[in-house]
Amino acid sequence: MSVTAAQGFSAAGIAAGIKESGNPDLALVVNHGPCRAAAGVFTSNRVKAAPVLWSEQVLKGGEVTAVVLNSGGANACTGPKGFQDTHATAEKAAEVLTGHNAGEIAVASTGLIGTLLPMDKLLPGIERAAAALSEHGGEKAAIAIKTTDTVHKTAVAGGDGWTVGGMAKGAGMLAPGLATMLVVLTTDADVDAAGLDSALRAATRTTFDRIDSDGCMSTNDTVLLLASGASGTTPEQAEFAEAVRTVCADLARQLIGDAEGASKDIRIEVINAATEDDAVEVGRSIARNNLLKCAIHGEDPNWGRVLSAIGTTRAAFEPDQLNVAINDVWVCKNGGVGEDRDLVDMRYREVRITADLAAGTESAVIWANDLTADYVHENSAYSS
Amino acid sequence: MSVTAAQGFSAAGIAAGIKESGNPDLALVVNHGPCRAAAGVFTSNRVKAAPVLWSEQVLKGGEVTAVVLNSGGANACTGPKGFQDTHATAEKAAEVLTGHNAGEIAVASTGLIGTLLPMDKLLPGIERAAAALSEHGGEKAAIAIKTTDTVHKTAVAGGDGWTVGGMAKGAGMLAPGLATMLVVLTTDADVDAAGLDSALRAATRTTFDRIDSDGCMSTNDTVLLLASGASGTTPEQAEFAEAVRTVCADLARQLIGDAEGASKDIRIEVINAATEDDAVEVGRSIARNNLLKCAIHGEDPNWGRVLSAIGTTRAAFEPDQLNVAINDVWVCKNGGVGEDRDLVDMRYREVRITADLAAGTESAVIWANDLTADYVHENSAYSS
């Protein structure tokens, strides 16, 4: 499982002392080759953390030897000193791993924005993490990147003789483009950087980019895909892309399932849209409607709030042709009252909303969560 | 005060039995002239309630004799029957007031979306409201339009010999374009429909359109301005517009002050923007950030969440030139750590966030609220 499911990788997760709690907070993932091809996708927030600015440059080279990830601090909005710290982190990893240079080391950070990382703990931690590297270290690495996550997230898929594995963290600040997440995927397939990039972008577009826990876009989102080529196998691109998508979809679903304070996972499917963009826009508008998210929390099939959310979009539709189902009961037909709302059973964690725009044949699925008092508590009681 | 502060108007507020609670739920405002000029601004939600569709048509005539407002049901997403009900409401008012036709009667509704109004209670209620009309009825009318409002909202302003007064309701689903609000303004100034329209649009653009309680846009927002000309005075347009703006700003501030579950009113001022549109876009993005709204609730000056919200906009700025103050303490300077966040005193209800984009000379103020467990409770425990 995790980032060591594929051959050619080792990983470690340790407690470096970055978190005051003493919980694991530093992960290291190393690609032992023979290949070092890599691809990355980063937050579209214009305020980007130092490690994002750094790793974007590293990925331009198309090769990554190792990834250093820390929880316990986002290193965002930390100015030139923050960027120097990320650079020093990469330099330290390159030195410890010997024979590599900092330009091959990606860095990812997560935690509170606006505070400098304790480099006196992080740099010695890299030495200890390197000493702890193991072919079975994927699980520990996945644990070390958790912040408010209650569980660590890993997934694996693959084909004949090759594997794609990955780990993810993220629980709040989850919104398209991307979510507050750090994700590292590894594969032993022999795929070049262009093939990795193509597969990764296609996968994130319909997975991580279509979950929305709380409408908030992070400064630190990073999704990396590293290939070792250790299997000696080069799969068909379509087959490889599908495996990457499977792992991304699995991890994205796990992120939604562990979102801060959530009691419901909401699957919003927009159907019969004129374009896929319309379907996504409508899905996101529904996903971000606080009133609806509260209603779902209260197990109230309040379809009026779905319609008011649809009404704020530019998508093609006629108000009197809209249909909405909640858990397969079409409570709204032709923009008005449909089947009896008392037929809707909302006792289970997963809630399905179907919005029929009656304007075409395109569709999209967005995953979201309800809005709960626990979410408010978790994000008001202390800085995160 | 309220809609009867200006000469030439009478009003009433009664309990017609629309609300199961038995609370007041029907208001009537009548313009006795000699003029009947009127202007209106309505929700920009594409899913519009029946009374909005009706009143938009009435306002095209530029004359309004009376406004019937009900709480206890939005009459939105109610199909052709809902529109017929609005029509019947206007017909009934025209009949009761004698000598007028339904085309001069504006209708406004608020409450749950997707249920038909109990016309067997509403129509007799109009007769009773007409019988209760009084030059001192403004207060009762303001009370009868409340939904989850804890207090009724009225305001008044004016000049030499003329007055502008108004009432508003709204507590949730408050977001630009417009908020979930019903507002009726009256004046005894002698101003024609074009002058009213110009003053009203200018006023709402910088008041009701710049409050955002919960990011949710209503299907029913209606703001009406009726002129009786009873003062016999025609003020300068600029002076009149300023009085309208004063009343709108006063009512908008009252709406934010009574938003569902809120414990803080947040004044977000965006300064040094390249354009006013940029300032508004950034202000709204900050206003809608759930994580920031939770932090403010927790009295946590978490400026990183302000920066992450700014970063999602298309406004002109450089991340390393952004400055943010919370209650006048510049906790973020040049995109990084600024003054000591412990200096920020957040004990009071009003919280001021200043976002300096360092990109120009334009500015805008957006008002918002914090996100609280009470908001979640109020919007999950029952349908509204």
Side-chain angles (χ1 to χ4, degrees):
Chain A
M1 297 292 281
S2 187
V3 288
T4 48
Q7 300 173 66
F9 291 91
S10 63
I14 65 157
I18 303 166
K19 286 179 180 166
E20 289 189 8
S21 64
N23 286 333
D25 50 22
L26 187 68
L28 181 61
V29 180
V30 178
N31 182 353
H32 299 283
C35 303
R36 300 288 192 301
V41 178
F42 301 92
T43 182
S44 54
N45 198 311
R46 290 170 58 200
V47 175
K48 296 181 203 301
V52 168
L53 295 171
W54 171 267
S55 297
E56 281 182 334
Q57 294 307 313
V58 169
L59 266 294
K60 283 186 180 165
E63 294 212 338
V64 169
T65 298
V67 188
V68 182
L69 308 98
N70 73 272
S71 51
N75 197 6
C77 306
T78 45
K81 178 68 171 71
F83 192 79
Q84 287 164 20
D85 287 348
T86 293
H87 186 187
T89 299
E91 289 282 2
K92 183 71 179 180
E95 173 199 323
V96 168
L97 297 173
T98 70
H100 298 287
N101 72 66
E104 303 162 36
I105 313 291
V107 180
S109 301
T110 180
L112 184 62
I113 296 172
T115 54
L116 291 165
L117 289 169
M119 297 304 288
D120 58 328
K121 290 173 179 160
L122 201 156
L123 295 181
I126 292 172
E127 288 188 25
R128 288 175 42 222
L133 283 168
S134 157
E135 288 176 17
H136 308 291
E139 200 88 357
K140 285 191 173 169
I143 291 169
I145 61 174
K146 284 169 56 185
T147 53
T148 53
D149 307 67
T150 65
V151 293
H152 62 284
K153 290 105 179 168
T154 66
V156 68
D160 189 16
W162 58 275
T163 296
V164 178
M167 64 179 186
K169 89 98 210 171
M173 217 183 247
L174 285 178
L178 308 162
T180 297
M181 60 175 69
L182 302 183
V183 179
V184 179
L185 308 173
T186 57
T187 182
D188 45 23
D190 188 3
V191 181
D192 63 14
L196 297 176
D197 186 71
S198 161
L200 186 61
R201 285 183 193 282
T204 55
R205 193 178 75 83
T206 58
T207 56
F208 296 121
D209 266 354
R210 292 193 185 169
I211 60 177
D212 189 333
S213 156
D214 58 4
C216 298
M217 188 196 295
S218 162
T219 50
N220 285 58
D221 297 321
T222 300
V223 183
L224 300 175
L225 171 56
L226 281 53
S228 69
S231 70
T233 304
T234 301
E236 290 290 321
Q237 177 70 20
E239 190 189 2
F240 177 69
E242 182 52 31
V244 172
R245 212 199 76 82
T246 298
V247 172
C248 288
D250 189 338
L251 291 172
R253 182 68 185 82
Q254 292 182 55
L255 291 172
I256 282 292
D258 190 33
E260 288 173 351
S263 71
K264 302 284 188 191
D265 304 336
I266 311 170
R267 181 183 190 276
I268 301 158
E269 182 167 19
V270 182
I271 62 173
N272 299 325
T275 65
E276 187 181 0
D277 284 350
D278 274 8
V280 171
E281 183 187 356
V282 168
R284 286 182 180 170
S285 179
I286 297 170
R288 290 183 177 185
N289 190 280
N290 278 352
L291 286 170
L292 176 66
K293 289 156 71 86
C294 287
I296 299 296
H297 176 53
E299 303 188 346
D300 169 14
N302 196 324
W303 58 267
R305 295 177 180 177
V306 178
L307 259 69
S308 77
I310 297 173
T312 64
T313 70
R314 298 157 301 179
F317 69 84
E318 292 300 327
D320 61 0
Q321 292 176 23
L322 294 170
N323 306 298
V324 172
I326 301 180
N327 284 353
D328 306 322
V329 179
W330 289 93
V331 284
C332 170
K333 289 184 179 173
N334 298 318
V337 181
E339 295 180 297
D340 186 353
R341 40 170 283 152
D342 291 340
L343 297 174
V344 183
D345 181 354
M346 298 180 71
R347 287 172 299 172
Y348 301 99
R349 184 172 176 107
E350 186 170 316
V351 174
R352 294 179 309 287
I353 296 176
T354 313
D356 173 6
L357 302 188
T361 57
E362 297 296 319
S363 64
V365 172
I366 301 282
W367 281 91
N369 295 104
D370 57 343
L371 178 56
T372 71
D374 287 345
Y375 175 87
V376 174
H377 176 75
E378 194 159 336
N379 288 295
S380 62
Y382 51 85
S383 286
S384 62
Chain B
M1 296 292 281
S2 188
V3 289
T4 49
Q7 301 174 63
F9 291 91
S10 64
I14 65 156
I18 303 167
K19 286 179 181 167
E20 290 190 8
S21 64
N23 287 332
D25 49 22
L26 186 67
L28 181 61
V29 180
V30 178
N31 183 354
H32 298 282
C35 304
R36 299 288 193 296
V41 178
F42 300 91
T43 183
S44 53
N45 198 310
R46 290 169 59 199
V47 176
K48 297 182 204 297
V52 168
L53 295 170
W54 171 266
S55 297
E56 281 182 334
Q57 294 307 313
V58 169
L59 266 293
K60 283 185 180 165
E63 294 213 339
V64 169
T65 298
V67 189
V68 182
L69 307 99
N70 74 274
S71 50
N75 197 5
C77 306
T78 45
K81 178 68 172 72
F83 192 79
Q84 287 164 19
D85 287 347
T86 293
H87 186 187
T89 300
E91 289 282 2
K92 182 72 180 179
E95 171 199 324
V96 169
L97 297 173
T98 69
H100 298 286
N101 71 67
E104 303 162 34
I105 312 291
V107 180
S109 301
T110 180
L112 184 63
I113 296 172
T115 55
L116 290 166
L117 289 169
M119 297 304 288
D120 59 328
K121 291 174 178 160
L122 201 155
L123 295 181
I126 291 171
E127 289 187 26
R128 288 175 42 222
L133 281 168
S134 158
E135 288 177 15
H136 309 291
E139 199 89 359
K140 285 191 175 169
I143 291 168
I145 59 175
K146 284 169 58 185
T147 53
T148 55
D149 307 67
T150 66
V151 294
H152 61 284
K153 290 104 180 168
T154 66
V156 66
D160 189 17
W162 58 275
T163 297
V164 178
M167 64 179 185
K169 89 98 211 171
M173 218 184 245
L174 285 177
L178 308 162
T180 297
M181 61 176 69
L182 303 184
V183 179
V184 179
L185 309 174
T186 58
T187 182
D188 46 23
D190 188 3
V191 181
D192 63 14
L196 296 176
D197 187 70
S198 161
L200 186 61
R201 286 186 192 280
T204 54
R205 193 179 74 84
T206 59
T207 57
F208 297 121
D209 266 355
R210 293 195 183 168
I211 61 177
D212 190 333
S213 157
D214 57 5
C216 298
M217 188 195 296
S218 162
T219 50
N220 286 57
D221 297 323
T222 300
V223 183
L224 301 174
L225 171 56
L226 280 53
S228 69
S231 70
T233 304
T234 301
E236 290 290 322
Q237 178 70 20
E239 190 191 1
F240 177 69
E242 181 53 29
V244 173
R245 211 198 78 82
T246 298
V247 172
C248 288
D250 189 339
L251 291 171
R253 182 68 186 82
Q254 292 181 55
L255 292 172
I256 281 292
D258 190 33
E260 286 173 350
S263 70
K264 303 284 186 190
D265 304 336
I266 312 171
R267 182 183 190 274
I268 301 160
E269 182 168 20
V270 181
I271 62 173
N272 299 325
T275 65
E276 187 181 358
D277 284 350
D278 274 10
V280 171
E281 182 186 356
V282 168
R284 286 183 179 167
S285 179
I286 296 170
R288 290 183 177 185
N289 190 280
N290 278 352
L291 286 171
L292 176 67
K293 288 156 72 88
C294 288
I296 299 297
H297 176 53
E299 303 189 346
D300 170 13
N302 196 326
W303 59 267
R305 293 177 181 176
V306 178
L307 259 69
S308 76
I310 298 173
T312 63
T313 70
R314 299 156 300 179
F317 70 82
E318 293 300 326
D320 60 359
Q321 292 177 23
L322 294 170
N323 306 297
V324 173
I326 300 179
N327 285 354
D328 306 321
V329 179
W330 290 93
V331 284
C332 169
K333 288 184 179 174
N334 298 317
V337 182
E339 295 180 294
D340 185 354
R341 41 171 281 153
D342 290 341
L343 297 173
V344 182
D345 181 355
M346 297 180 71
R347 286 172 297 172
Y348 301 101
R349 183 170 176 108
E350 185 170 317
V351 174
R352 296 181 308 285
I353 296 177
T354 314
D356 173 6
L357 301 188
T361 58
E362 298 297 319
S363 65
V365 172
I366 302 282
W367 281 91
N369 294 105
D370 57 342
L371 178 56
T372 71
D374 286 346
Y375 175 89
V376 174
H377 176 74
E378 193 158 339
N379 288 296
S380 62
Y382 51 86
S383 286
S384 63

